[in-house]
């Protein structure tokens, strides 16, 4: 086996030194009746070339070379080449969690820089070293708000990503945390009067997303005015991090939960991604997840360590702020490199291109279909309502190497034949024009019947 | 440093400040293509929501970024540099073909919501891996959704709760041995269970009589690591399972130490009802400086209806798809389907090994641990003489007499060119040295490690102060963690000029 660095002679020598007759002696603690007396039924040992071939075939079945209008929590932005060059360095790729600071300063300083950049980007005072993904970061942010307030009720906007809400409900259920969902108005945004009535003295926090699941930017300042007056914390989830290049960050929030996938992380069929929580300085001791802090060594030299570990499971066990153990260090590093490449000016220009593409697409689509929630500001996503079922539309678009918008019927049946379209900087004008053209054709005709075969 | 080490030599490494300290206006590492649609006017599109300023985000050139991160990387220890004997962490070699296949265009750039028709390759990767892991664990069904080991534990206990609820009520307690990882009790609390400690016996195993006495109809499950954190196989595992089952409880196995078992014995065959795996341990996906991981949960048939949504199914027309119509599901524990990038790597690892390679891997992992145990006996105290599987736990009892503790010994190991072992864990051993070499170490590397550890033991006798002040050869000496926690500095700030 090519990964094992021992010759048969080495093994014999080692067994002899140990004083074992054969390798079976070392497995004697396992009662014989449970030992597996056969080969595992898994693929036979394959050559590297065979493995590459197998995955190439799978890769081919996934249909590349499509132009995609999908967003909905996972965004296709261009990834600068140096991201993979740098994260492929074995010293980053194959290092463990930096508990031993003296031999982990590289990872630790990189995380400290990540925390700084995320703080700057979100307009918060501090950020953690990253979490599993946006959905779990959002859920952990809500649990954090409950610890901070000592209250148990949560109000959640229905315009938060449906899968994020499902994760929150999954975590909330065993702890019997009551969740009140509030509807969106005709602009796809939170309805302030419904918010007022949903908040009670037991409410710990309000969770919103901005840009929300429909791509609409919430009026965070106005919402924060309500939450502050009513004494509840405001948790803002952000799924499209590139928006922060041009959209004012939710500075009035108490906790921000960000999905950093947009910042240089491959789509990768949904993961690994990179969640992160940012908050005010006064709240960091209730923040879950790893944190890197600056300190000095015995000679007064600057260095970095994992800090505030007394919040964490390996010290506090069942009294920890969370059971979380890992962060997503290597994915956070991708995000750090992406943010460094684009930087202060580039992030704004990148976001501006997204804004322009979506604005153009929206304008074009509005000629043949209805744009829902149109008056509210948006970043790079918008909802198109058609006469025809979007699955049918998409099925036709696929033939032209275009993946259409995400049909919303599964999550929001009340919106009818609506789909969520996303235009990042990678979408060309000609792809937009083609998609609009095909939509216009079908919208002019009679609506397709249910009998027509649906690709999904 | 009086003694010379054969493993490492000091060399020059570059100094490097924070990226923000290199930034100055006008430098850039990016260029966008010309816009092919009309320019947007942010003020009119966004109004008050327009952002004017990005604060202290850096402005640097590409070569500076390459040098910055490359310099930082050279300050890290890594598997690629040598043995990483962290107990319970299974720091094995991370094969590069795993990285290569994960970066194939049609693997890396698949959108999670793209139509299933053009996601068949991704679904096939998940399906094939699922089948392999089910076979390896001896279980009946699996979810790949959890993003890490602790996330797998959480999913597992949600399944326990849902299963017991379907039988009447969720019960109140989880039993956890005193040798368990901290994530176990933290997870139990997250899922709304009270934690009851289970004492180990003098051999370092579950005290079966105590378990029988503590087991009652309020206990939902026992969370057991096997081999446990002392590296000892729980011989009476089936009796343990019987005790749980006789009162309607479940046996949850923490698969952190699965590297001792693969292809030799299957948890499903010794009474385990559900368990999580750590793909970043047993199945060679890289740790990446602390993540991403992946923590699939494998279950017996009775728990299958409760698995998180969605599950992969083969449709009537023979294609693969996701089934969301799972009325008894616990919900979902993260968005989309899990850390897919880790699935490709784990599957590539299984394919590179095959059944024979997986078995040889496990045998070598156990051989290596026992070789270290033999090599260090006498130099270090071995608190539990019970046979070791893939890891061995010593204590600092002999060295503590000279005022040298496990952390000091670990830090001194750095000067010898090794990463430290796991210190002060498990908690049932005072001053633990927890050592797991994995199968990836050659006899030469193990001999160097043993030599280094024996040399340090001698140094403790000759010059304990030098060991207490180690490491002596690193860029930074021991860092002031107390100061870091007392007044946390968690970000760079322009004003502080630091």
């Amino acid at each position: 086996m090519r990964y094992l660095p021992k010759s048969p002679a080495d093994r014999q020598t080692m067994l002899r030194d140990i004083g074992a007759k054969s390798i079976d002696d070392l497995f004697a603690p396992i009662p014989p009746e449970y030992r597996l007396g056969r080969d595992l039924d898994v693929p036979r040992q394959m050559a590297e070339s065979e493995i590459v071939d197998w995955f190439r075939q799978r890769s081919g079945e996934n249909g590349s070379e499509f132009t995609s209008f999908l967003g909905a929590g996972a965004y296709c932005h261009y990834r600068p080449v140096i991201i993979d060059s740098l994260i492929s360095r074995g010293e980053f790729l194959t290092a463990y969690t930096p508990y031993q600071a003296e031999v982990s300063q590289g990872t630790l300083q990189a995380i400290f820089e990540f925390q700084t950049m995320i703080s700057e980007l979100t307009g918060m005072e501090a950020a953690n070293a990253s979490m599993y993904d946006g959905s779990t970061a959002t859920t952990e942010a809500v649990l954090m708000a409950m610890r901070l307030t000592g209250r148990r009720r949560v109000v959640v906007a229905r315009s938060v990503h449906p899968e994020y809400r499902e994760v929150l409900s999954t975590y909330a259920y065993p702890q019997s945390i009551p969740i009140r969902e509030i509807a969106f108005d005709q602009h796809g945004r939170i309805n302030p009067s419904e918010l007022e009535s949903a908040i009670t003295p037991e409410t710990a926090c309000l969770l919103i997303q901005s840009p929300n699941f429909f791509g609409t930017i919430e009026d965070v300042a106005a919402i924060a005015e309500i939450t502050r007056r009513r004494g509840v914390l405001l948790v803002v989830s952000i799924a499209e991090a590139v928006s922060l290049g041009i959209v004012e960050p939710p500075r009035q929030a108490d906790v921000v939960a960000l999905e950093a996938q947009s910042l240089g992380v491959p789509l990768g069929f949904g993961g690994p991604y990179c969640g992160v929580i940012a908050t005010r300085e006064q709240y960091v001791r209730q923040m879950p997840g790893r944190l890197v802090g600056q300190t000095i060594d015995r000679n007064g030299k600057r260095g970095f360590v994992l800090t505030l570990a007394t919040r964490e499971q390996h010290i506090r066990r069942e009294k920890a702020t969370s059971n979380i153990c890992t962060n997503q260090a290597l994915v956070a590093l991708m995000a750090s490199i992406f943010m460094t490449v684009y930087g202060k000016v580039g992030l704004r220009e990148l976001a501006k291109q997204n804004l322009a593409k979506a604005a153009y697409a929206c304008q074009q689509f509005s000629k043949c279909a209805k744009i829902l929630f149109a008056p509210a500001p948006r970043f790079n996503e918008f909802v198109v309502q058609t006469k025809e079922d979007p699955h049918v539309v998409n099925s036709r678009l696929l033939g032209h190497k275009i993946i259409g918008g995400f049909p919303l019927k599964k999550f929001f049946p009340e919106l009818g034949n609506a789909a969520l379209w996303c235009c990042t900087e990678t979408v060309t004008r000609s792809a937009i024009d083609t998609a609009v053209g095909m939509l216009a054709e079908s919208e002019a005709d009679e609506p397709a019947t249910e009998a027509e075969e649906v690709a999904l | 440093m009086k003694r010379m080490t054969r493993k490492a030599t000091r060399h020059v490494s570059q100094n490097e400040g924070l990226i923000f300290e290199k930034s100055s206006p006008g430098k850039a590492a990016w260029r966008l293509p010309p816009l092919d649609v009309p320019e947007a006017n942010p003020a009119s599109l966004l109004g008050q929501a327009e952002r004017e300023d990005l604060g202290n985000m850096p402005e640097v050139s590409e070569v500076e970024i390459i040098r910055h991160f490359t310099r930082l990387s050279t300050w890290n220890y890594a598997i690629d540099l040598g043995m990483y004997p962290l107990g319970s962490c299974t720091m094995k070699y991370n094969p590069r073909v795993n990285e290569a296949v994960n970066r194939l265009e049609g693997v890396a750039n698949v959108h999670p919501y793209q139509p299933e028709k053009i996601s068949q390759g991704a679904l096939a990767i998940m399906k094939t891996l699922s089948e392999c892991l089910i076979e390896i664990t001896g279980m009946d069904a699996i979810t790949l959704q959890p993003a890490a080991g602790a996330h797998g534990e959480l999913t597992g206990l949600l399944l326990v709760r849902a299963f017991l609820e379907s039988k009447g009520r969720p019960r109140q307690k989880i039993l956890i041995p005193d040798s368990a990882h901290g994530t176990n009790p933290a997870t139990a609390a997250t899922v709304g269970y009270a934690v009851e400690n289970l004492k180990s016996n003098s051999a370092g195993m579950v005290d079966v009589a105590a378990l029988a006495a503590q087991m009652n109809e309020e206990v939902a499950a026992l969370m057991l690591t096997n081999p446990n954190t002392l590296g000892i196989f729980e011989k009476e595992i089936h009796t343990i399972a019987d005790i749980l089952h006789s009162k309607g409880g479940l046996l949850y196995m923490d698969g952190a130490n699965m590297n001792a078992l693969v292809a030799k014995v299957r948890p499903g065959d010794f009474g385990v009802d559900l368990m999580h795996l750590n793909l970043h341990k047993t199945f060679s996906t890289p740790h990446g400086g602390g993540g991403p991981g992946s923590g699939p949960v494998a279950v017996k048939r009775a728990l299958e209806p409760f698995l998180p949504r969605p599950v992969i199914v083969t449709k009537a027309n023979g294609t693969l798809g996701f089934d969301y119509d799972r009325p008894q599901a616990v919900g979902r524990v993260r968005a989309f389907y899990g850390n897919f990038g880790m699935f490709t790597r784990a599957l590539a690892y299984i394919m590179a090994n095959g059944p024979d390679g997986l078995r040889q891997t496990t045998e070598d992992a156990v051989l290596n641990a026992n070789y270290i145990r033999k090599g260090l006996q006498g130099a270090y105290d071995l608190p539990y003489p019970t046979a070791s599987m893939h890891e061995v736990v010593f204590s600092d009892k002999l060295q503590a007499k000279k005022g040298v503790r496990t952390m000091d010994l670990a830090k001194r190991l750095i000067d010898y060119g090794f990463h430290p072992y796991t210190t002060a864990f498990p908690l049932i051993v005072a001053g633990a040295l927890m050592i797991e070499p994995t199968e990836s170490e050659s006899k030469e590397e193990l001999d160097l490690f043993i030599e280094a550890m024996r040399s340090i033991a001698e140094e403790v006798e000759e010059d304990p102060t030098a060991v207490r002040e180690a490491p002596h050869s690193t860029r930074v000496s021991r860092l002031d963690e107390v100061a870091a926690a007392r007044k946390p500095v968690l970000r760079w700030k322009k004003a502080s000029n630091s």
Side-chain angles (χ1 to χ4, degrees):
Chain A
M1 207 288 123
R2 63 182 184 277
Y3 302 151
L4 299 175
K6 269 191 282 291
S7 68
D10 287 339
R11 293 190 179 100
Q12 287 312 314
T13 312
M14 289 170 72
L15 282 170
R16 200 186 57 227
D17 289 355
I18 292 167
K21 278 200 270 313
S22 78
I23 191 71
D24 291 340
D25 287 5
L26 301 182
F27 286 87
I30 301 175
E33 61 267 36
Y34 305 129
R35 288 182 217 160
L36 190 68
R38 60 167 175 87
D39 276 357
L40 284 169
D41 182 16
V42 297
R44 65 160 173 83
Q45 200 174 123
M46 288 161 72
E48 186 176 297
S49 55
E50 290 179 297
I51 295 170
V52 171
D53 279 347
W54 191 88
F55 278 95
R56 273 212 184 109
Q57 283 166 26
R58 300 293 84 70
S59 169
E61 290 161 8
N62 281 339
S64 38
E65 294 155 28
F66 283 77
T67 294
S68 173
F69 287 93
L70 288 172
Y75 301 91
C76 179
H77 295 286
Y78 178 73
R79 301 179 64 239
V81 164
I82 66 168
I83 294 176
D84 283 348
S85 310
L86 288 168
I87 64 136
S88 297
R89 285 192 65 90
E91 300 95 325
F92 284 131
L93 186 74
T94 76
Y96 189 68
T97 306
Y99 290 121
Q100 296 290 344
E102 299 89 344
V103 282
S104 311
Q105 284 300 299
T107 295
L108 286 162
Q109 181 169 325
I111 294 175
F112 185 79
E113 293 176 350
F114 173 80
Q115 291 175 181
T116 304
M117 284 190 263
I118 294 295
S119 304
E120 294 284 346
L121 199 60
T122 56
M124 289 285 106
E125 289 169 339
N128 69 7
S130 70
M131 316 279 290
Y132 305 140
D133 77 333
S135 69
T136 50
T138 298
T139 297
E140 292 274 6
V142 167
L143 298 177
M144 174 181 163
M146 288 172 51
R147 287 192 298 275
L148 284 166
T149 55
R151 294 179 222 140
R152 293 188 47 79
R153 284 176 184 277
V154 180
V155 177
V156 178
R158 197 147 177 276
S159 48
V160 172
H161 195 301
E163 294 196 4
Y164 288 25
R165 281 185 281 128
E166 200 178 350
V167 173
L168 175 61
S169 305
T170 304
Y171 276 64
Y173 173 73
Q175 299 187 45
S176 309
I177 299 163
I179 297 175
R180 163 89 189 263
E181 283 197 350
I182 52 171
F184 46 88
D185 63 14
Q186 72 275 20
H187 298 153
R189 306 212 280 187
I190 282 191
N191 183 329
S193 64
E194 199 185 334
L195 171 60
E196 289 277 10
S197 66
I199 295 174
T200 72
E202 287 86 47
T203 305
C205 68
L206 166 70
L207 168 65
I208 64 167
Q209 181 182 329
S210 184
N212 67 25
F213 187 67
F214 306 123
T216 304
I217 297 159
E218 297 281 0
D219 188 349
V220 178
I223 293 166
E225 193 279 315
I226 297 173
T227 53
R228 202 174 312 116
R229 175 162 46 74
R230 301 291 300 274
V232 306
L233 297 182
L234 176 60
V235 178
V236 179
S237 174
I238 302 171
E240 170 44 303
V242 167
S243 68
L244 291 168
I246 195 91
V247 177
E248 179 65 6
R251 296 181 203 276
Q252 307 86 346
D254 297 291
V255 190
V256 174
L258 181 76
E259 169 57 79
Q261 179 273 329
S262 264
L263 308 173
V265 181
L267 285 168
F269 208 45
Y273 288 175
C274 179
V276 51
I277 289 183
T279 189
R280 301 171 191 271
E281 224 157 62
Q282 69 201 86
Y283 297 149
V284 294
R285 282 170 202 275
Q286 283 302 331
M287 184 148 65
R290 289 181 185 142
L291 282 168
V292 170
Q294 181 180 310
T295 186
I296 49 168
D297 77 355
R298 286 178 175 176
N299 306 312
K301 190 173 177 183
R302 178 171 72 184
F304 303 92
V305 291
L306 287 171
T307 193
L308 300 181
T310 49
R311 300 163 301 121
E312 292 185 75
Q313 49 77 25
H314 60 279
I315 310 283
R316 294 277 286 168
R317 297 177 80 85
E318 67 267 28
K319 295 187 180 64
T321 53
S322 161
N323 78 329
I324 207 157
C325 184
T326 47
N327 61 341
Q328 303 278 301
L330 199 72
V331 193
L333 182 61
M334 292 185 202
S336 287
I337 298 166
F338 182 96
M339 289 188 280
T340 308
V341 167
Y342 282 101
K344 187 180 168 77
V345 181
L347 280 171
R348 183 179 160 89
E349 291 304 313
L350 174 67
K352 239 174 104 179
Q353 283 210 352
N354 279 255
L355 197 66
K357 299 266 185 175
Y360 172 78
C362 226
Q363 193 188 39
Q364 297 303 307
F365 276 113
S366 70
K367 292 175 184 167
C368 60
K370 189 175 179 197
I371 307 295
L372 295 185
F373 320 130
R378 67 182 78 85
F379 177 56
N380 63 4
E381 286 176 287
F382 52 93
V383 177
V384 180
Q385 199 179 47
T386 47
K387 281 183 269 179
E388 203 175 20
D389 185 331
H391 286 110
V392 178
V393 176
N394 285 351
S395 176
R396 244 191 336 268
L397 285 170
L398 268 190
H400 295 258
K401 292 274 173 193
I402 289 174
I403 302 174
F406 177 67
L408 292 175
K409 208 171 264 181
K410 182 168 108 183
F411 294 127
F412 299 96
E414 70 270 35
L415 297 179
N417 287 332
L420 178 66
W421 290 70
C422 174
C423 293
T424 70
E425 79 284 0
T426 62
V427 171
T428 61
R429 179 180 191 150
S430 83
I432 294 169
D433 292 344
T434 307
V436 170
M438 296 198 57
L439 201 74
E441 248 171 61
S442 66
E443 288 301 282
D445 300 339
E446 286 298 299
T449 62
E450 288 293 321
E452 186 165 348
E453 204 204 329
V454 174
L456 287 172
Chain B
M1 190 167 158
K2 287 180 198 148
R3 285 160 191 270
M4 292 304 291
T5 161
R6 290 197 288 136
K7 162 99 165 128
T9 308
R10 295 193 69 167
H11 78 119
V12 170
S13 74
Q14 308 283 322
N15 290 325
E16 179 71 5
L18 290 161
I19 194 73
F20 311 101
E21 295 160 352
K22 304 180 97 70
S23 172
S24 57
K27 288 200 284 190
W30 59 277
R31 180 180 178 83
L32 290 164
L35 196 58
D36 60 359
V37 296
E39 283 270 357
N41 179 351
S44 71
L45 288 169
L46 299 173
Q48 288 188 327
E50 184 192 358
R51 181 176 204 165
E52 304 285 351
D53 183 52
L54 276 124
N56 293 309
M57 295 301 272
E59 290 175 85
V60 288
S61 65
E62 183 170 316
V63 61
E64 289 171 294
I65 300 173
I66 287 283
R67 286 209 180 130
H68 176 73
F69 288 103
T70 303
R71 285 171 182 169
L72 295 193
S73 77
T74 63
W75 305 347
N76 277 356
Y77 192 84
I79 278 284
D80 283 3
L81 290 168
M83 179 171 165
Y84 224 121
L86 284 170
S88 255
C89 300
T90 315
M91 293 297 287
K92 62 169 67 184
Y93 169 59
N94 307 134
R96 288 315 197 267
V97 67
N98 300 2
E99 302 304 310
V101 298
N102 191 61
R103 284 182 175 76
L104 292 171
E105 181 73 13
V107 174
N109 293 333
V110 193
H111 192 286
Y113 286 153
Q114 75 183 39
E116 287 173 358
K117 200 162 87 174
I118 53 167
S119 305
Q120 289 297 305
L123 288 159
I125 290 168
M126 291 177 71
K127 181 87 175 351
T128 310
L129 176 66
S130 296
E131 285 165 357
C132 290
L133 297 179
I134 286 169
E135 164 69 0
I136 288 167
T137 54
M139 308 299 278
D140 298 317
I142 197 164
T143 173
L144 303 179
Q145 204 176 82
H151 207 210
E153 291 175 28
L154 177 103
T155 308
L157 290 194
L158 287 170
L159 292 167
V160 166
R161 177 175 271 275
F163 171 79
L164 292 172
E165 261 179 7
S166 78
K167 301 275 169 211
R169 59 195 184 87
R171 305 191 173 194
Q172 290 174 358
K173 286 187 296 198
I174 300 288
L175 295 180
I176 297 178
D178 48 13
S179 59
H181 296 117
T183 49
N184 294 174
T187 302
T190 306
V191 185
Y193 281 116
V195 174
E196 192 170 299
N197 230 316
L198 189 61
K199 269 195 151 22
S200 303
N201 65 20
S202 59
M205 291 186 261
V206 167
D207 187 329
V208 173
L211 171 64
Q214 275 173 269
M215 184 62 204
N216 58 43
E217 271 153 27
E218 285 316 320
V219 174
L222 165 66
M223 293 181 92
L224 189 68
T225 308
N226 192 24
N228 65 26
T229 56
L230 294 166
I232 296 170
F233 190 85
E234 296 281 356
K235 267 187 215 184
E236 296 186 83
I237 185 71
H238 214 282
T239 314
I240 292 169
D242 288 345
I243 292 170
L244 267 292
H245 295 156
S246 70
K247 297 258 167 70
L250 296 172
L251 179 56
Y252 180 96
M253 187 174 120
D254 179 327
N257 294 340
M258 193 65 193
N259 211 43
L261 308 182
V262 174
K264 300 294 283 186
V265 58
R266 308 190 311 164
D269 294 339
F270 57 63
V272 169
D273 297 297
L274 72 170
M275 65 177 293
H276 77 264
L277 293 162
N278 298 278
L279 300 188
H280 49 288
K281 294 181 181 177
T282 320
F283 297 94
S284 86
T285 77
H287 278 73
S294 179
V297 176
V299 301
K300 285 289 176 63
R301 188 68 63 203
L303 290 147
E304 188 181 10
F306 309 99
L307 290 177
R309 267 188 293 267
V311 298
I312 295 181
V313 290
T314 306
K315 296 184 165 178
N317 63 4
T319 63
L320 297 170
F322 286 116
D323 180 12
Y324 288 86
D325 185 18
R326 308 270 302 172
Q328 287 187 283
V330 294
R332 64 160 61 242
V333 293
R334 58 153 285 170
F336 312 121
Y337 324 113
N339 283 348
F340 177 76
M342 304 297 113
F343 308 159
T344 54
R345 291 173 172 95
L347 182 56
Y349 170 83
I350 291 169
M351 288 172 162
N353 275 283
D356 45 342
L358 290 173
R359 183 167 49 232
Q360 185 70 64
T361 294
T362 303
E363 289 176 358
D364 279 8
V366 172
L367 178 66
N368 282 359
N370 279 280
Y371 188 71
I372 287 175
R373 172 175 163 148
K374 181 75 180 182
L376 296 184
Q377 247 172 14
Y380 295 90
D381 169 64
L382 186 68
Y384 292 93
T386 314
S388 298
M389 297 292 292
H390 69 302
E391 67 188 359
V392 55
V393 178
F394 290 97
S395 91
D396 63 11
K397 194 172 161 188
L398 303 176
Q399 290 71 32
K401 290 175 193 155
K402 293 276 185 179
V404 177
R405 304 309 311 265
T406 179
M407 187 60 94
D408 304 319
L409 300 164
K411 296 289 188 195
R412 183 62 176 143
L413 199 49
I414 293 169
D415 290 327
Y416 281 80
F418 288 97
H419 191 275
Y421 47 77
T422 296
T423 59
F425 186 84
L427 303 180
I428 56 170
V429 174
L433 290 65
M434 188 193 209
I435 302 168
E436 179 184 6
T438 83
E439 71 281 4
S440 301
E441 302 313 325
S442 65
K443 182 173 177 299
E444 292 78 10
E445 188 84 0
L446 297 169
D447 285 335
L448 287 170
F449 177 76
I450 291 165
E451 182 183 297
M453 288 295 290
R454 295 198 79 95
S455 176
I456 293 167
E458 286 167 24
E459 285 182 323
V460 170
E461 299 304 315
E462 295 159 9
D463 187 0
T465 308
V467 178
R468 272 200 304 269
E469 289 173 358
H472 301 283
S473 56
T474 44
R475 295 186 56 78
V476 289
S477 57
R478 280 201 213 183
L479 290 150
D480 191 343
E481 297 191 7
V482 175
R486 195 183 304 128
K487 214 168 172 284
V489 178
L490 304 176
R491 64 181 287 190
W492 176 84
K493 278 182 190 158
K494 205 170 204 170
S496 72
N497 215 12
S498 58

